[in-house]
Amino acid sequence: MSRKVLVLGETRDGALRNVSYEAIAAGKTVAEGGEVVAVLVGESVNSLANELIYYGADRVVTVEDVKLGSYTPDGFSQALLAVIEAESPEALIIGHTALGKDLSPKIAGKLNSGLISDVTAIEVAGGNIVFTRPIYSGKAFEKKIVTDGLIFATVRPNNIATLEKDESRSGEVTSQTVEIKDLRTIVKEVVRKASEGVDLSEAKVVIAGGRGVKSADGFEPLKELADVLGGAIGASRGACDADYCDYSLQIGQTGKVVTPDLYIACGISGAIQHLAGMSNSKVIVAINKDPEANIFKVADYGIVGDLFEVVPMLTEEFKKLKVNA
Ligand SMILES: Cc1cc2nc3c(=O)[nH]c(=O)nc-3n(C[C@H](O)[C@H](O)[C@H](O)COP(=O)(O)OP(=O)(O)OC[C@H]3O[C@@H](n4cnc5c(N)ncnc54)[C@H](O)[C@@H]3O)c2cc1C
C-alpha cells in the first residue's frame, strides 16, 4: 500500500543535518512507492530544498519566517502542523534529535496520534511497516506497528542508511505561508558549548574519555586522535562530574545517544548508564587499565593498558596509515 509521507528536514547553522537524509530514506521505506514530501522550517531555508530532493525527496514544502530563525516549540509546531493540515500525509518522520525529541510529542498530542520514538530500523514485513526501537537502555529491542491513524516515528541519527545523492533528480519546491503567532519563548542567543568541529550525535567516529583521563588536559591526547580520525570527542558522566569537560559531551542514559561506526572509550569503566548511550555503536574499542572493567563486555576490541601510552600510539599509527593510504 503506497502512502504519502512527510519528512522534516533539520538544519543547524544554515546547513542540513545528515539526519534529514536518513529521515528521507526512512520515509521512502514507509511510503512503499508513494510520495515523500520534505518540509523545511526556518528563517531562510529555500536554498537548501534541492539538496533534499537529491537525497530522495519527491517534493519540498518550505515555511520561512523570521520568527523561525531558531527552534521554538510553538513556532515549529505551528509551521509543521499547518503543512500537515495542507498535505494530509499518512505518515510523518522526524529525526530523533534534541529538536525532534522536543517537537514530536507536541505534534502527536495536537494530532491525537501515536508516536514511535527513537527508531533504529524500519522494514516492510507481512504487509506492515515494522519499526524497531531499543528499550531498557538498549538491552533489548522491540518491534512496533501502527494499526490505525497516522504513522508517526522519530529516527535515531546514524542508524538508517541514506540514499545515494543523485543531483540529476528534480522536484517541485513550494513555499507555504504560515502565521507564526503567540510564541511563548523567544531565543535571544545560542551559546554552543560543544566543541566546534564534528557534531557528536552524528559523528562517524567518537573518542570518549572517562574519569581515567584524570584532568581537563587529559583530554588532549584524545583530541589529537579525534583530529586524525575526523571524529568527535565524547565523555562519560564521570568525566563531566569531575569537571574535566562540559556536560554537552556526556554520552549515556542522561546524556547523548550515539551510534558511530567507531567508538573508542578511554578510561571509562562501562557503567550501565554509559552503555545506554553507546552500546549500539558499530565497532567499540575500549582502553582501560583494569582488565575486569565492564566496558570490555561490550567492546569488540579491548586494550588493557594506560590510555596515556595507548592513545598517542594509536594516533601515530593512524597518521602513518593516512600518509601511506
Ligand atoms: C541516574 C543516573 C544517570 C546516569 N547517567 C549517566 C550517563 O548518561 N552517562 C554516564 O557516563 N554515566 C552516567 N551515570 C553515572 C555512571 O553510573 C558512572 O558513575 C559513570 O559512567 C562513571 O564514569 P567513568 O566510567 O568515567 O568513571 P569510573 O567508573 O571512575 O571509571 C574510570 C575508569 O578509568 C580507568 N582508568 C583509570 N586510569 C586509567 C588510565 N590511565 N588508563 C586507562 N584506564 C584508566 C579505571 O580502570 C576505570 O575503569 C549515571 C548515574 C545515575 C545514577
Side-chain angles (χ1 to χ4, degrees):
M1 183 195 134
S2 69
R3 36 181 93 73
K4 185 200 259 193
V5 182
L6 225 59
V7 170
L8 182 68
E10 194 178 322
T11 62
R12 177 182 277 178
D13 298 334
L16 282 159
R17 298 189 68 186
N18 205 47
V19 70
S20 311
Y21 311 133
E22 294 166 2
I24 290 172
K28 283 276 182 202
T29 306
V30 175
E32 291 193 87
E35 191 183 27
V36 175
V37 182
V39 185
L40 267 179
V41 175
E43 183 176 352
S44 170
V45 287
N46 279 351
S47 58
L48 303 171
N50 278 334
E51 201 70 6
L52 295 170
I53 290 170
Y54 299 157
Y55 276 95
D58 298 305
R59 199 154 61 76
V60 180
V61 179
T62 64
V63 181
E64 288 191 320
D65 192 300
V66 67
K67 294 193 194 110
L68 299 170
S70 287
Y71 171 76
T72 59
D74 286 337
F76 271 53
S77 60
Q78 284 172 30
L80 187 55
L81 285 166
V83 180
I84 292 169
E85 197 183 339
E87 294 285 341
S88 307
E90 279 118 348
L92 175 60
I93 310 282
I94 298 181
H96 195 71
T97 57
L99 184 154
K101 281 188 247 183
D102 191 68
L103 182 63
S104 53
K106 192 168 168 77
I107 298 287
K110 291 274 183 200
L111 297 175
N112 203 17
S113 79
L115 168 63
I116 305 179
S117 66
D118 202 12
V119 168
T120 53
I122 304 174
E123 61 187 326
V124 183
N128 289 309
I129 307 291
V130 183
F131 295 91
T132 303
R133 63 187 297 275
I135 51 171
Y136 303 123
S137 298
K139 277 191 167 302
F141 290 89
E142 66 174 1
K143 289 182 184 284
K144 294 216 156 193
I145 59 168
V146 176
T147 53
D148 193 21
L150 181 77
I151 299 176
F152 185 8
T154 59
V155 289
R156 185 185 281 199
N158 264 345
N159 278 263
I160 292 172
T162 61
L163 304 171
E164 205 139 308
K165 185 175 181 180
D166 177 359
E167 294 192 30
S168 68
R169 281 177 57 84
S170 60
E172 191 187 28
V173 179
T174 50
S175 297
Q176 187 170 331
T177 307
V178 181
E179 194 196 346
I180 307 297
K181 55 182 182 187
D182 304 331
L183 296 184
R184 283 171 293 181
T185 49
I186 293 168
V187 178
K188 290 203 157 176
E189 190 191 0
V190 178
V191 182
R192 289 231 179 283
K193 285 206 155 178
S195 57
E196 288 117 45
V198 188
D199 179 353
L200 178 57
S201 35
E202 294 198 336
K204 296 282 175 213
V205 176
V206 173
I207 317 293
R211 223 183 319 247
V213 303
K214 295 194 174 66
S215 67
D217 288 344
F219 268 97
E220 287 309 316
L222 279 60
K223 285 179 188 160
E224 282 171 33
L225 180 56
D227 281 347
V228 173
L229 295 177
I233 291 287
S236 70
R237 181 159 138 188
C240 301
D241 283 345
D243 216 10
Y244 301 161
C245 63
D246 192 83
Y247 279 102
S248 59
L249 299 185
Q250 184 184 320
I251 290 166
Q253 190 181 313
T254 45
K256 293 197 167 77
V257 175
V258 297
T259 18
D261 293 340
L262 174 63
Y263 188 91
I264 305 184
C266 312
I268 294 178
S269 58
I272 180 78
Q273 295 90 352
H274 185 75
L275 303 188
M278 47 63 74
S279 61
N280 286 326
S281 303
K282 289 174 194 85
V283 175
I284 298 172
V285 177
I287 304 165
N288 198 303
K289 281 203 300 201
D290 175 7
E292 303 297 325
N294 200 45
I295 192 79
F296 288 126
K297 291 191 183 140
V298 296
D300 299 285
Y301 300 95
I303 303 172
V304 178
D306 187 330
L307 71 92
F308 295 105
E309 289 169 21
V310 176
V311 172
M313 273 160 59
L314 285 177
T315 307
E316 285 314 307
E317 289 306 314
F318 281 122
K319 270 189 193 161
K320 281 186 212 158
L321 282 173
K322 278 179 90 175
V323 169
N324 297 331

